Amino acid sequence: MFRIKYDTRDKKAYAIIAMIASILTVLDIGCLSYEHLSEQFSATTGAILLCAVYPLGILAIASFMLYLDAVLYLKRLKQYGYEEPYDKKMFHKNLEELPRTKSWEDKNGKSCKNHDSMLLAGMAAIIVICLFIYDIWFWYHYFIAGGNFIILGLLLFLPTVIWLILGIFYARQMSDRKYKDDVEIDRMRKNRQTLMGGLITVLLLFVITLIYMDMIKSMMQYMINR
């Protein structure tokens, strides 16, 4: 069964949750920021407000991302000629039961061209180029450090290799021969990663890369100043 991932009710629910969580986060930060206002709270209330900042912020971000993912999913459904489902339970959450519009039937089911993998592959390629330039600068700048630098220099190339593999992974998904969108009914091809899922992957890996590179640089500075 090809499962319907989101419906209109899901989109509205995520939008409401994201809005409420964002407002509460802003109010929470505002209460803690204004000294005259925060002084009116007891220690227990202040601790609760402080502890609630991160959970509310994470909930707001997560709900907003789910909302965007739902919007993009429903947009893909329309691109492939499906009617936007209000309640996926009406179709037993089965994509094969979701009706298609007459305009799509007239196109004989011609697939829509994918651009998400192209964008993700392009982002990965830009990051690979930037990392490679940084690697060369790092080697040139710290070349005088000697033998210990060689090990750190090689370790510095690890993120570049990982990003290169990720870029190739997304580039391969640009092909319609082996990959398809998640709203296409085809058991012979694999689902390509969605734009939102890819952006989350790129963002998390980018943060990890920055932390890793800063750690390598700090270790290098420590060895030089030792």
Side-chain angles (χ1 to χ4, degrees):
M1 183 181 76
F2 294 88
R3 182 174 172 271
I4 300 175
K5 190 175 180 181
Y6 299 109
D7 55 29
T8 304
R9 296 200 311 169
D10 292 331
K11 182 180 70 172
K12 291 181 179 179
Y14 291 136
I16 293 172
I17 295 173
M19 187 179 301
I20 293 175
S22 299
I23 293 174
L24 290 177
T25 303
V26 172
L27 290 176
D28 196 351
I29 295 175
C31 291
L32 293 172
S33 299
Y34 288 100
E35 184 176 349
H36 295 291
L37 185 60
S38 60
E39 289 176 352
Q40 306 299 320
F41 300 132
S42 63
T44 302
T45 303
I48 293 174
L49 290 174
L50 182 62
C51 293
V53 170
Y54 288 107
L56 286 174
I58 293 173
L59 178 61
I61 295 173
S63 300
F64 181 70
M65 296 178 74
L66 286 170
Y67 167 75
L68 289 179
D69 197 28
V71 169
L72 294 174
Y73 177 82
L74 294 176
K75 181 180 178 181
R76 287 196 299 276
L77 282 179
K78 289 183 177 180
Q79 288 177 336
Y80 281 89
Y82 290 102
E83 295 181 5
E84 185 174 306
Y86 176 75
D87 185 357
K88 56 192 176 187
K89 293 181 180 179
M90 296 173 56
F91 308 100
H92 306 98
K93 300 182 181 181
N94 188 358
L95 184 61
E96 295 178 275
E97 296 184 19
L98 189 64
R100 272 178 160 162
T101 61
K102 184 66 169 57
S103 58
W104 173 265
E105 294 172 356
D106 293 339
K107 294 179 181 178
N108 297 319
K110 185 178 180 181
S111 297
C112 300
K113 186 172 180 60
N114 169 66
H115 297 287
D116 296 349
S117 297
M118 188 183 302
L119 175 62
L120 294 172
M123 293 175 63
I126 293 173
I127 294 176
V128 167
I129 294 173
C130 293
L131 287 176
F132 187 71
I133 293 174
Y134 178 81
D135 293 341
I136 294 176
W137 172 86
F138 190 91
W139 272 75
Y140 176 78
H141 187 73
Y142 293 106
F143 185 78
I144 58 174
N148 290 332
F149 159 71
I150 300 298
I151 299 176
L152 291 179
L154 292 175
L155 290 175
L156 189 67
F157 277 107
L158 181 60
T160 308
V161 174
I162 293 176
W163 278 100
L164 180 61
I165 294 174
L166 184 65
I168 295 173
F169 172 74
Y170 288 135
R172 285 170 56 88
Q173 293 189 5
M174 291 166 56
S175 171
D176 289 328
R177 295 180 58 186
K178 295 183 179 180
Y179 293 91
K180 66 180 182 67
D181 288 333
D182 54 354
V183 296
E184 291 185 86
I185 299 176
D186 187 346
R187 291 178 173 83
M188 302 301 294
R189 294 182 292 165
K190 299 178 182 179
N191 285 343
R192 59 172 57 98
Q193 190 168 29
T194 62
L195 178 61
M196 187 55 59
L199 290 177
I200 293 174
T201 302
V202 168
L203 178 60
L204 290 177
L205 184 57
F206 184 73
V207 172
I208 295 173
T209 299
L210 291 179
I211 295 174
Y212 180 85
M213 291 169 60
D214 184 67
M215 180 182 66
I216 294 292
K217 185 176 180 181
S218 298
M219 292 173 63
M220 193 66 208
Q221 290 288 353
Y222 172 78
M223 288 193 303
I224 292 175
N225 299 327
R226 190 172 54 174

